[in-house]
Amino acid sequence: MNTAIISGRLTRDPEVKTTQNNVDFCSFTIAVDRRFKNSAGERETDFIQCVAWRQTAEFIGKYFQKGSRIEVVGPIQTRNYDDKDGKRVYVTELNVEQAFFGDSKNQSSGSVYTQPAIEITQPEKPEVTPSFDPPGDLPFDL
């Protein structure tokens, strides 16, 4: 199974672009603090490269900015290509399938975006009537 969950802050404003085939995408980097402090007593930070596609890219481009806390879910993928000098470049990135707000309105510094609340209601039980006429001597009620 290849699924990663990353929570951190955007290092720059995300910008949605479009491929030659007219597909929206958004590449960005998330700064993620490590859980433990180093020998100097400081937390180190990893910078995770991410890419989102289509509606997920549009969502991130619309509601997030540099410094926003974001939580993303998706597989880690690798690819490679030759740059303009003919040198092979290897890329490892998280392919974002889901993105969530990491801050609430009260926790963020100036951000007014919050994840919308979803009200979950229990459906009413339908009244069930038997579709057949049972004999009167059943040992239970229908």
Side-chain angles (χ1 to χ4, degrees):
M1 177 179 287
N2 180 4
T3 300
I5 302 170
I6 304 293
S7 179
R9 296 199 179 272
L10 290 172
T11 61
R12 60 182 165 82
D13 288 342
E15 181 182 341
V16 178
K17 298 179 181 177
T18 305
T19 66
Q20 293 176 349
N21 294 331
N22 209 28
V23 177
D24 290 339
F25 73 98
C26 181
S27 296
F28 54 93
T29 302
I30 300 176
V32 180
D33 289 334
R34 293 186 182 177
R35 293 178 56 187
F36 303 100
K37 296 179 181 178
N38 62 17
S39 59
E42 298 173 348
R43 290 195 194 274
E44 295 181 10
T45 303
D46 292 305
F47 296 90
I48 310 299
Q49 302 295 317
C50 300
V51 62
W53 297 91
R54 298 175 182 80
Q55 291 88 355
T56 306
E58 294 170 14
F59 171 74
I60 292 168
K62 182 176 181 180
Y63 293 108
F64 292 88
Q65 60 192 1
K66 178 181 178 178
S68 295
R69 179 166 286 284
I70 188 170
E71 297 174 1
V72 296
V73 179
I76 294 175
Q77 296 181 337
T78 60
R79 60 185 172 90
N80 60 68
Y81 63 92
D82 293 328
D83 67 7
K84 61 183 177 186
D85 298 326
K87 183 178 175 184
R88 178 68 47 147
V89 177
Y90 296 92
V91 179
T92 301
E93 58 197 358
L94 189 139
N95 186 1
V96 177
E97 293 176 343
Q98 297 175 308
F100 304 93
F101 293 102
D103 284 333
S104 70
K105 182 177 180 181
N106 295 335
Q107 293 173 325
S108 62
S109 56
S111 176
V112 295
Y113 304 112
T114 58
Q115 188 166 359
I118 299 173
E119 183 179 336
I120 299 174
T121 58
Q122 195 74 347
E124 292 185 28
K125 285 187 172 183
E127 194 172 311
V128 178
T129 57
S131 60
F132 65 98
D133 189 20
D137 58 347
L138 290 177
F140 55 87
D141 291 331
L142 289 177

